[in-house]
Protein backbone atom coordinates (compact mmCIF):
# COMPACT_ATOMS: atom_id res chain seq x y z
CA UNK A 1 0.00 0.00 0.00
CA UNK A 2 1.30 3.40 -0.99
CA UNK A 3 -1.26 5.45 0.93
CA UNK A 4 -1.38 5.36 4.71
CA UNK A 5 -3.83 7.30 6.84
CA UNK A 6 -2.17 10.31 8.43
CA UNK A 7 -3.11 9.05 11.87
CA UNK A 8 -4.66 5.90 13.23
CA UNK A 9 -7.19 7.89 15.29
CA UNK A 10 -8.47 9.57 12.16
CA UNK A 11 -8.89 6.39 10.11
CA UNK A 12 -11.02 4.69 12.79
CA UNK A 13 -13.96 6.94 11.89
CA UNK A 14 -13.83 6.20 8.17
CA UNK A 15 -14.67 3.09 6.19
CA UNK A 16 -11.49 1.29 5.23
CA UNK A 17 -10.24 1.37 1.66
CA UNK A 18 -11.26 -2.25 1.44
CA UNK A 19 -14.86 -1.55 2.47
CA UNK A 20 -15.10 1.27 -0.08
CA UNK A 21 -13.72 -0.97 -2.81
CA UNK A 22 -16.12 -3.78 -1.91
CA UNK A 23 -19.09 -1.43 -1.91
CA UNK A 24 -18.07 -0.23 -5.36
CA UNK A 25 -17.76 -3.75 -6.72
CA UNK A 26 -21.17 -4.64 -5.28
CA UNK A 27 -22.78 -1.56 -6.83
CA UNK A 28 -21.09 -2.22 -10.16
CA UNK A 29 -22.39 -5.77 -10.14
CA UNK A 30 -25.95 -4.61 -9.41
CA UNK A 31 -25.73 -1.83 -11.99
CA UNK A 32 -24.68 -4.32 -14.67
CA UNK A 33 -28.04 -6.05 -14.21
CA UNK A 34 -30.12 -2.90 -13.79
CA UNK A 35 -31.20 -2.54 -17.43
CA UNK A 36 -32.41 -6.14 -17.69
CA UNK A 37 -34.15 -5.89 -14.34
CA UNK A 38 -36.02 -2.76 -15.44
CA UNK A 39 -34.58 -0.73 -12.60
CA UNK A 40 -33.47 2.19 -14.75
CA UNK A 41 -35.84 4.97 -15.68
CA UNK A 42 -35.32 8.19 -17.58
CA UNK A 43 -36.77 11.32 -16.00
CA UNK A 44 -37.14 14.58 -17.88
CA UNK A 45 -36.73 18.22 -16.89
CA UNK A 46 -38.08 21.03 -19.09
CA UNK A 47 -35.97 23.97 -20.25
CA UNK A 48 -37.92 27.21 -20.52
CA UNK A 49 -37.37 29.94 -23.10
CA UNK A 50 -37.17 33.21 -21.15
CA UNK A 51 -38.55 35.33 -24.01
CA UNK A 52 -41.64 33.28 -24.86
CA UNK A 53 -41.99 31.79 -21.36
CA UNK A 54 -42.58 28.40 -22.91
CA UNK A 55 -40.72 25.08 -22.70
CA UNK A 56 -38.49 24.40 -25.71
CA UNK A 57 -36.71 21.22 -24.70
CA UNK A 58 -36.41 18.54 -22.04
CA UNK A 59 -33.26 17.08 -20.51
CA UNK A 60 -33.10 13.32 -20.00
CA UNK A 61 -31.84 12.47 -16.49
CA UNK A 62 -31.21 8.88 -15.52
CA UNK A 63 -32.73 7.38 -12.37
CA UNK A 64 -31.88 4.05 -10.75
CA UNK A 65 -34.63 2.56 -8.64
CA UNK A 66 -33.19 -0.30 -6.60
CA UNK A 67 -35.72 -2.68 -5.07
CA UNK A 68 -36.02 -1.94 -1.37
CA UNK A 69 -33.42 0.83 -1.60
CA UNK A 70 -35.27 3.67 -3.31
CA UNK A 71 -33.52 6.03 -5.68
CA UNK A 72 -29.77 5.90 -6.08
CA UNK A 73 -28.61 9.36 -7.18
CA UNK A 74 -26.77 9.72 -10.52
CA UNK A 75 -23.85 11.21 -8.57
CA UNK A 76 -23.51 7.84 -6.80
CA UNK A 77 -23.67 5.56 -9.81
CA UNK A 78 -22.70 7.47 -12.98
CA UNK A 79 -19.03 7.59 -11.88
CA UNK A 80 -19.13 3.81 -11.31
CA UNK A 81 -20.77 3.30 -14.68
CA UNK A 82 -18.03 5.40 -16.28
CA UNK A 83 -15.15 3.65 -14.55
CA UNK A 84 -16.46 0.17 -15.30
CA UNK A 85 -17.44 0.88 -18.90
CA UNK A 86 -21.10 0.14 -18.12
CA UNK A 87 -21.87 3.68 -19.26
CA UNK A 88 -21.52 2.43 -22.86
CA UNK A 89 -24.62 0.16 -22.85
CA UNK A 90 -26.42 2.34 -20.30
CA UNK A 91 -25.73 5.52 -22.29
CA UNK A 92 -27.01 3.88 -25.48
CA UNK A 93 -30.12 2.72 -23.60
CA UNK A 94 -30.78 6.28 -22.35
CA UNK A 95 -30.39 7.62 -25.90
CA UNK A 96 -32.90 5.11 -27.26
CA UNK A 97 -35.42 5.91 -24.49
CA UNK A 98 -35.00 9.66 -24.97
CA UNK A 99 -35.35 9.53 -28.77
CA UNK A 100 -38.42 7.27 -28.56
CA UNK A 101 -40.01 9.49 -25.95
CA UNK A 102 -39.36 12.64 -27.99
CA UNK A 103 -41.06 10.96 -30.97
CA UNK A 104 -43.96 10.12 -28.68
CA UNK A 105 -44.25 13.79 -27.63
CA UNK A 106 -44.39 14.79 -31.29
CA UNK A 107 -47.19 12.28 -31.90
CA UNK A 108 -49.10 13.98 -29.05
CA UNK A 109 -48.86 17.30 -30.86
CA UNK A 110 -45.90 18.61 -28.88
CA UNK A 111 -43.92 18.99 -32.10
CA UNK A 112 -41.62 21.84 -31.11
CA UNK A 113 -39.99 20.06 -28.19
CA UNK A 114 -36.53 18.55 -28.59
CA UNK A 115 -34.64 16.33 -26.19
CA UNK A 116 -31.20 16.78 -24.65
CA UNK A 117 -29.13 13.81 -23.45
CA UNK A 118 -26.02 13.75 -21.26
CA UNK A 119 -23.11 11.95 -22.88
CA UNK A 120 -20.03 10.88 -20.97
CA UNK A 121 -16.44 11.05 -22.16
CA UNK A 122 -16.22 7.26 -22.28
CA UNK A 123 -19.00 7.14 -24.87
CA UNK A 124 -17.48 9.77 -27.12
CA UNK A 125 -14.13 7.99 -26.99
CA UNK A 126 -15.63 4.79 -28.42
CA UNK A 127 -14.54 4.40 -32.06
CA UNK A 128 -18.13 3.61 -33.08
CA UNK A 129 -19.75 6.46 -31.13
CA UNK A 130 -20.94 8.39 -34.20
CA UNK A 131 -22.27 5.20 -35.77
CA UNK A 132 -24.20 4.34 -32.59
CA UNK A 133 -25.88 7.74 -32.57
CA UNK A 134 -26.68 7.42 -36.28
CA UNK A 135 -28.20 3.96 -35.78
CA UNK A 136 -30.33 5.09 -32.83
CA UNK A 137 -31.67 8.06 -34.80
CA UNK A 138 -32.46 5.80 -37.75
CA UNK A 139 -34.16 3.17 -35.56
CA UNK A 140 -36.23 5.63 -33.57
CA UNK A 141 -36.98 7.89 -36.52
CA UNK A 142 -36.10 11.06 -34.61
CA UNK A 143 -34.84 13.95 -36.73
CA UNK A 144 -31.19 14.74 -35.81
CA UNK A 145 -32.13 18.38 -35.17
CA UNK A 146 -34.43 17.23 -32.36
CA UNK A 147 -31.58 15.68 -30.40
CA UNK A 148 -29.03 17.68 -28.45
CA UNK A 149 -26.03 15.98 -26.86
CA UNK A 150 -24.73 17.49 -23.62
CA UNK A 151 -20.99 17.14 -23.18
CA UNK A 152 -18.66 18.42 -20.47
CA UNK A 153 -15.29 20.10 -20.51
CA UNK A 154 -13.62 17.04 -19.01
CA UNK A 155 -13.81 15.59 -22.52
CA UNK A 156 -11.15 17.88 -23.82
CA UNK A 157 -8.55 17.24 -21.16
CA UNK A 158 -7.04 14.34 -23.10
CA UNK A 159 -8.20 14.37 -26.65
CA UNK A 160 -9.25 17.82 -27.72
CA UNK A 161 -8.58 17.44 -31.46
CA UNK A 162 -10.16 14.00 -31.78
CA UNK A 163 -13.26 15.24 -29.97
CA UNK A 164 -13.59 18.39 -32.08
CA UNK A 165 -13.49 16.19 -35.16
CA UNK A 166 -16.30 13.99 -33.84
CA UNK A 167 -18.38 16.99 -32.84
CA UNK A 168 -17.98 18.54 -36.27
CA UNK A 169 -19.22 15.26 -37.72
CA UNK A 170 -22.26 15.25 -35.42
CA UNK A 171 -23.00 18.87 -36.36
CA UNK A 172 -22.76 17.92 -40.05
CA UNK A 173 -25.35 15.20 -39.35
CA UNK A 174 -27.68 17.90 -38.01
CA UNK A 175 -27.48 17.25 -34.27
CA UNK A 176 -27.32 19.99 -31.67
CA UNK A 177 -24.50 20.17 -29.14
CA UNK A 178 -24.45 21.67 -25.66
CA UNK A 179 -21.55 22.32 -23.31
CA UNK A 180 -22.76 21.27 -19.84
CA UNK A 181 -21.69 22.54 -16.41
CA UNK A 182 -19.94 25.53 -17.95
CA UNK A 183 -17.78 27.40 -15.46
CA UNK A 184 -16.83 24.44 -13.27
CA UNK A 185 -13.75 23.33 -15.20
CA UNK A 186 -10.63 24.90 -16.67
CA UNK A 187 -9.87 27.47 -19.41
CA UNK A 188 -13.44 27.28 -20.65
CA UNK A 189 -13.21 30.33 -22.87
CA UNK A 190 -10.70 28.69 -25.18
CA UNK A 191 -13.06 25.77 -25.75
CA UNK A 192 -15.94 28.04 -26.57
CA UNK A 193 -14.20 29.47 -29.61
CA UNK A 194 -13.25 26.11 -31.04
CA UNK A 195 -16.26 23.95 -30.28
CA UNK A 196 -19.17 23.71 -32.70
CA UNK A 197 -21.73 24.13 -29.91
CA UNK A 198 -25.25 25.55 -30.07
CA UNK A 199 -25.88 25.82 -26.36
CA UNK A 200 -23.94 26.66 -23.25
CA UNK A 201 -25.29 25.42 -19.94
CA UNK A 202 -24.19 27.66 -17.12
CA UNK A 203 -23.58 25.67 -13.96
CA UNK A 204 -25.94 26.19 -11.04
CA UNK A 205 -23.06 27.44 -8.88
CA UNK A 206 -23.36 30.83 -10.60
CA UNK A 207 -26.93 31.38 -9.44
CA UNK A 208 -26.32 29.94 -6.01
CA UNK A 209 -23.58 32.49 -5.34
CA UNK A 210 -25.07 35.53 -6.97
CA UNK A 211 -22.97 38.33 -5.49
CA UNK A 212 -21.77 41.34 -7.47
CA UNK A 213 -18.67 39.72 -8.93
CA UNK A 214 -20.53 36.68 -10.26
CA UNK A 215 -23.22 38.99 -11.58
CA UNK A 216 -20.70 40.66 -13.90
CA UNK A 217 -19.11 37.35 -14.86
CA UNK A 218 -22.45 35.86 -15.85
CA UNK A 219 -23.29 38.93 -17.87
CA UNK A 220 -19.94 38.72 -19.68
CA UNK A 221 -20.31 35.00 -20.38
CA UNK A 222 -23.74 35.54 -21.92
CA UNK A 223 -22.48 38.42 -24.08
CA UNK A 224 -19.57 36.35 -25.29
CA UNK A 225 -21.81 33.36 -26.02
CA UNK A 226 -24.14 35.56 -28.06
CA UNK A 227 -21.22 36.95 -30.07
CA UNK A 228 -20.36 33.34 -30.90
CA UNK A 229 -24.00 32.63 -31.78
CA UNK A 230 -24.47 30.33 -28.80
CA UNK A 231 -27.64 30.19 -26.67
CA UNK A 232 -27.28 30.14 -22.90
CA UNK A 233 -29.27 27.94 -20.51
CA UNK A 234 -29.04 28.70 -16.79
CA UNK A 235 -29.13 25.61 -14.57
CA UNK A 236 -30.47 25.54 -11.02
CA UNK A 237 -33.12 28.24 -11.34
CA UNK A 238 -34.90 27.93 -8.00
CA UNK A 239 -36.46 31.30 -7.13
CA UNK A 240 -38.20 34.14 -9.05
CA UNK A 241 -35.23 36.45 -8.28
CA UNK A 242 -33.08 34.18 -10.45
CA UNK A 243 -35.44 34.69 -13.37
CA UNK A 244 -35.48 38.49 -13.09
CA UNK A 245 -31.70 38.48 -12.92
CA UNK A 246 -31.43 36.16 -15.94
CA UNK A 247 -33.84 38.32 -17.95
CA UNK A 248 -31.73 41.38 -17.08
CA UNK A 249 -28.58 39.80 -18.45
CA UNK A 250 -30.42 38.46 -21.54
CA UNK A 251 -30.03 34.77 -20.71
CA UNK A 252 -31.95 32.70 -23.26
CA UNK A 253 -33.30 29.78 -21.24
CA UNK A 254 -33.79 28.54 -17.72
CA UNK A 255 -33.93 25.11 -16.13
CA UNK A 256 -34.64 24.41 -12.49
CA UNK A 257 -36.94 23.47 -9.65
CA UNK A 258 -38.81 26.80 -9.95
CA UNK A 259 -40.38 25.59 -13.21
CA UNK A 260 -40.30 21.82 -12.83
CA UNK A 261 -38.03 19.23 -11.25
CA UNK A 262 -36.96 16.18 -13.24
CA UNK A 263 -40.14 14.07 -13.51
CA UNK A 264 -41.49 10.87 -15.06
CA UNK A 265 -42.64 10.66 -18.69
CA UNK A 266 -46.31 11.12 -17.82
CA UNK A 267 -45.63 14.07 -15.53
CA UNK A 268 -43.56 15.87 -18.14
CA UNK A 269 -46.30 15.26 -20.72
CA UNK A 270 -48.76 16.90 -18.31
CA UNK A 271 -46.40 19.82 -17.76
CA UNK A 272 -45.80 20.39 -21.49
CA UNK A 273 -49.49 19.99 -22.37
CA UNK A 274 -50.49 22.93 -20.15
CA UNK A 275 -48.55 25.25 -22.43
CA UNK A 276 -50.07 23.67 -25.50
CA UNK A 277 -53.59 24.34 -24.18
CA UNK A 278 -52.69 27.95 -23.34
CA UNK A 279 -51.37 28.44 -26.87
CA UNK A 280 -54.43 26.81 -28.43
CA UNK A 281 -56.85 28.94 -26.43
CA UNK A 282 -55.05 32.23 -27.12
CA UNK A 283 -54.79 31.59 -30.86
CA UNK A 284 -58.53 31.00 -31.20
P1 LIG B 1 -26.38 17.69 -15.16
O1 LIG B 1 -26.41 17.19 -16.54
O2 LIG B 1 -25.67 18.98 -14.92
O3 LIG B 1 -27.90 17.78 -14.73
C1 LIG B 1 -28.45 18.78 -13.92
C2 LIG B 1 -28.62 18.31 -12.49
O4 LIG B 1 -29.15 19.39 -11.71
C3 LIG B 1 -29.62 17.17 -12.34
O5 LIG B 1 -29.17 16.35 -11.26
C4 LIG B 1 -30.89 17.89 -11.93
O6 LIG B 1 -31.81 17.09 -11.22
C5 LIG B 1 -30.32 18.98 -11.06
N1 LIG B 1 -31.21 20.14 -10.96
C6 LIG B 1 -32.17 20.54 -11.83
N2 LIG B 1 -32.77 21.67 -11.42
C7 LIG B 1 -32.18 22.02 -10.25
C8 LIG B 1 -32.36 23.11 -9.33
O7 LIG B 1 -33.19 24.01 -9.51
N3 LIG B 1 -31.55 23.13 -8.22
C9 LIG B 1 -30.61 22.16 -8.00
N4 LIG B 1 -29.88 22.25 -6.90
N5 LIG B 1 -30.41 21.11 -8.86
C10 LIG B 1 -31.18 21.05 -9.96
P2 LIG B 1 -29.24 14.76 -11.35
O8 LIG B 1 -30.49 14.35 -12.07
O9 LIG B 1 -28.98 14.24 -9.99
O10 LIG B 1 -28.02 14.40 -12.31
C11 LIG B 1 -26.71 14.68 -11.89
C12 LIG B 1 -25.73 14.50 -13.02
O11 LIG B 1 -25.64 13.13 -13.40
C13 LIG B 1 -26.09 15.24 -14.28
O12 LIG B 1 -25.74 16.61 -14.16
C14 LIG B 1 -25.27 14.50 -15.30
O13 LIG B 1 -23.95 14.96 -15.30
C15 LIG B 1 -25.30 13.08 -14.77
N6 LIG B 1 -26.30 12.29 -15.52
C16 LIG B 1 -27.62 12.17 -15.32
N7 LIG B 1 -28.20 11.36 -16.24
C17 LIG B 1 -27.18 10.95 -17.06
C18 LIG B 1 -27.11 10.10 -18.22
O14 LIG B 1 -28.10 9.56 -18.73
N8 LIG B 1 -25.86 9.92 -18.77
C19 LIG B 1 -24.74 10.52 -18.25
N9 LIG B 1 -23.56 10.29 -18.84
N10 LIG B 1 -24.79 11.33 -17.18
C20 LIG B 1 -25.99 11.55 -16.58
MG1 LIG C 1 -26.83 17.92 -18.35
MG1 LIG D 1 -25.31 20.58 -15.99
MG1 LIG E 1 -24.13 19.36 -13.36
Amino acid sequence: HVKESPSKGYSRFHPSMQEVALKKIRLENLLSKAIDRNELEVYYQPQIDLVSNRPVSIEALLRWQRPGKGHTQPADFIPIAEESGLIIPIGAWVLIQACNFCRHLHSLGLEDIYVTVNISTKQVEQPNFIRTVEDILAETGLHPHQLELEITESLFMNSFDACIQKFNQLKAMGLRLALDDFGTGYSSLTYLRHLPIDTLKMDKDFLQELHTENFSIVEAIIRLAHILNIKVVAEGVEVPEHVSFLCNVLCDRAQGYLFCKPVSEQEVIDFLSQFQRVAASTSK
Side-chain angles (χ1 to χ4, degrees):
H1 274 288
V2 187
K3 279 188 186 162
E4 284 283 340
S5 326
S7 86
K8 277 198 171 122
Y10 180 81
S11 66
R12 267 197 297 149
F13 299 103
H14 287 265
S16 67
M17 299 281 278
Q18 213 175 9
E19 274 176 77
V20 172
L22 271 174
K23 198 177 160 214
K24 230 169 78 176
I25 291 170
R26 237 177 277 138
L27 260 188
E28 189 185 312
N29 184 31
L30 289 168
L31 189 57
S32 69
K33 297 167 186 147
I35 293 184
D36 290 340
R37 291 181 174 172
N38 272 321
E39 293 170 1
L40 297 182
E41 188 178 356
V42 181
Y43 270 31
Y44 296 91
Q45 186 180 36
Q47 299 168 336
I48 311 292
D49 182 292
L50 287 170
V51 176
S52 68
N53 257 312
R54 296 171 57 81
V56 283
S57 46
I58 50 172
E59 177 175 7
L61 292 161
L62 187 57
R63 296 292 178 262
W64 182 16
Q65 190 76 57
R66 290 169 59 195
K69 288 263 178 169
H71 267 160
T72 303
Q73 293 299 311
D76 293 328
F77 69 87
I78 297 281
I80 292 176
E82 285 175 338
E83 254 179 75
S84 62
L86 284 169
I87 196 68
I88 308 296
I90 291 176
W93 181 85
V94 172
L95 257 179
I96 294 170
Q97 306 301 309
C99 291
N100 273 328
F101 182 60
C102 194
R103 284 274 290 172
H104 180 58
L105 290 180
H106 297 162
S107 78
L108 297 175
L110 298 157
E111 286 105 349
D112 300 333
I113 304 292
Y114 65 88
V115 70
T116 78
V117 179
N118 293 288
I119 301 291
S120 86
T121 312
K122 275 274 165 61
Q123 291 171 272
V124 180
E125 284 168 356
Q126 291 291 298
N128 62 352
F129 173 64
I130 304 267
R131 182 63 198 275
T132 305
V133 174
E134 239 172 0
D135 287 350
I136 291 174
L137 285 169
E139 274 164 36
T140 59
L142 190 71
H143 191 281
H145 196 64
Q146 291 158 338
L147 175 62
E148 182 166 84
L149 304 183
E150 296 194 3
I151 52 170
T152 59
E153 290 166 341
S154 60
L155 249 175
F156 313 112
M157 304 303 282
N158 310 321
S159 47
F160 191 68
D161 291 337
C163 285
I164 298 264
Q165 213 184 338
K166 286 193 181 178
F167 293 133
N168 283 329
Q169 250 177 294
L170 291 164
K171 280 308 298 170
M173 283 160 56
L175 278 92
R176 302 177 196 240
L177 290 179
L179 188 57
D180 204 355
D181 300 338
F182 183 82
T184 56
Y186 305 91
S187 58
S188 313
L189 295 185
T190 339
Y191 297 141
L192 270 195
R193 275 178 48 232
H194 296 287
L195 278 171
I197 56 166
D198 306 274
T199 311
L200 187 156
K201 299 194 72 179
M202 222 165 41
D203 196 76
K204 48 179 165 275
D205 284 0
F206 284 110
L207 286 183
Q208 259 136 44
E209 294 155 38
L210 208 54
H211 43 79
T212 0
E213 192 181 71
N214 266 357
F215 190 100
S216 313
I217 292 174
V218 169
E219 196 174 21
I221 290 172
I222 294 173
R223 275 208 207 132
L224 178 67
H226 287 169
I227 290 170
L228 298 168
N229 215 2
I230 295 168
K231 298 266 191 222
V232 181
V233 180
E235 301 187 292
V237 178
E238 294 181 351
V239 290
E241 290 71 47
H242 288 161
V243 177
S244 32
F245 164 72
L246 292 170
C247 289
N248 270 335
V249 294
L250 303 179
C251 185
D252 303 282
R253 290 172 201 158
Q255 178 178 354
Y257 299 159
L258 176 69
F259 300 100
C260 185
K261 7 169 243 189
V263 290
S264 69
E265 290 190 351
Q266 188 50 55
E267 287 171 293
V268 85
I269 290 173
D270 293 343
F271 180 88
L272 298 171
S273 303
Q274 289 173 358
F275 292 87
Q276 200 184 21
R277 276 198 296 280
V278 171
S281 62
T282 51
S283 67
K284 265 173 203 161

